[in-house]
Amino acid sequence: MQWQDQAIILGVKRHGETSVIAEVMTRDRGRHLGLVRSGRSRAMQPVLQAGNAVEVNWRARLDEHLGEFRVEPVTLRAARLMETATAVYGVQAMGALLRLLPERDPHPHLFDALEVILDHLHNPADAGELFVRFELAVLNDLGFGLDLAECAATGARSDLVYVSPKSGRAVSRSAGAPWADKMLLLPPFLSIEGNHAADFDSLSAAFRLTGFFLHRHVYEPRGIEAVTARDGFVQAALKALNPALRTLSGPNGISA
């Protein structure tokens, strides 16, 4: 068995004295593991850093075997990803999200989204918005996608400002007013009505939104906790928009 694919390094762990087992997100074959011989060498260590884009050639006798990777560098961005807190935490948090998906299950749109986000993690406002959309995409692929296109109560497609915590569907201002204190806020930049740049308030609401549904549908049923890297990313992204911010939240967003 043999194949070749584009990939992004998610992480590595030691295997023996000189080798590593690399975990990568491939474009056409999803998250995949493979043995890299001499992966701890001086030549390979800089290549096998999280966030780097590579080309992998995988070989194994049988498809279900771990197999071996031959890895060729394509874009070595890991050093730049160490320059900002949003990048450091963002790489770890996105890797954790991808590990929620079954191994070897193809998600080419997530691979493409990951490549885009990795190139924008240095800009906290852009990184925050893209990260939220990435979380929404992962939720959708896990079968828990949110419906933000029309009001769950009236079918209206305008003035959508809430999300029902029960159904995960958008709700208009008028329909949701009687239960506003129980609703989640729909950030304007996620609305279908127009293009809105993320600001501190809308990004805070977005992190609460995705954090709530990830906790309810994914983390709690599986008996796991969100990685601390998500909290680090949330604070770094919001602090860049509001330097006075000093509080760090739990898994569902930020606390006031």
Side-chain angles (χ1 to χ4, degrees), residues 6-252:
Q6 304 170 57
I8 295 170
I9 303 292
L10 299 181
V12 299
K13 64 179 180 179
R14 293 177 58 173
H15 184 81
E17 293 297 320
T18 62
S19 300
V20 299
I21 295 176
E23 181 183 30
V24 303
M25 182 65 181
T26 67
R27 191 180 193 286
D28 297 323
R29 292 168 178 81
R31 186 172 58 86
H32 211 291
L33 302 176
L35 177 70
V36 181
R37 297 193 183 277
S38 300
R40 297 179 60 202
S41 68
R42 289 185 178 181
M44 289 305 300
Q45 283 189 26
V47 176
L48 299 175
Q49 298 296 311
N52 282 343
V54 296
E55 187 174 272
V56 294
N57 189 300
W58 180 84
R59 289 183 179 181
R61 190 169 64 85
L62 297 175
D63 186 62
E64 59 266 26
H65 288 176
L66 173 65
E68 294 185 17
F69 280 146
R70 286 208 317 269
V71 181
E72 296 293 336
V74 175
T75 304
L76 301 184
R77 57 169 72 92
R80 181 165 54 83
L81 292 174
M82 297 297 292
E83 295 176 356
T84 63
T86 48
V88 171
Y89 289 122
V91 171
Q92 298 175 49
M94 287 189 292
L97 285 168
L98 291 171
R99 293 182 186 104
L100 297 172
L101 300 164
E103 187 182 346
R104 304 190 181 190
D105 190 13
H107 299 268
H109 58 291
L110 290 181
F111 175 88
D112 293 339
L114 181 61
E115 282 242 275
V116 172
I117 299 172
L118 288 171
D119 287 332
H120 289 82
L121 282 176
H122 62 284
N123 185 318
D126 291 344
E129 180 174 341
L130 290 169
F131 183 85
V132 165
R133 295 184 184 279
F134 191 78
E135 288 188 316
L136 289 171
V138 171
L139 274 168
N140 187 68
D141 283 17
L142 288 170
F144 305 110
L146 307 188
D147 182 357
L148 307 179
E150 64 180 31
C151 177
T154 67
R157 299 176 65 86
S158 61
D159 203 24
L160 304 177
V161 298
Y162 302 115
V163 178
S164 167
K166 291 185 177 180
S167 67
R169 298 184 63 189
V171 180
S172 67
R173 189 185 308 274
S174 59
W179 302 277
D181 61 332
K182 297 181 180 179
M183 293 285 184
L184 295 163
L185 295 179
L186 175 60
F189 71 84
L190 292 179
S191 169
I192 65 169
E193 293 185 77
N195 294 322
H196 302 269
D199 57 17
F200 177 83
D201 290 336
S202 63
L203 199 53
S204 299
F207 285 133
R208 289 191 185 100
L209 179 68
T210 53
F212 176 87
F213 287 104
L214 281 166
H215 180 71
R216 167 180 281 186
H217 293 306
V218 184
Y219 299 134
E220 189 174 42
R222 299 187 185 191
I224 60 177
E225 296 288 337
V227 294
T228 57
R230 184 185 191 271
D231 282 338
F233 177 84
V234 167
Q235 187 180 21
L238 294 177
K239 193 172 181 178
L241 297 175
N242 181 3
L245 181 67
R246 289 294 182 269
T247 56
L248 179 61
S249 72
N252 293 339

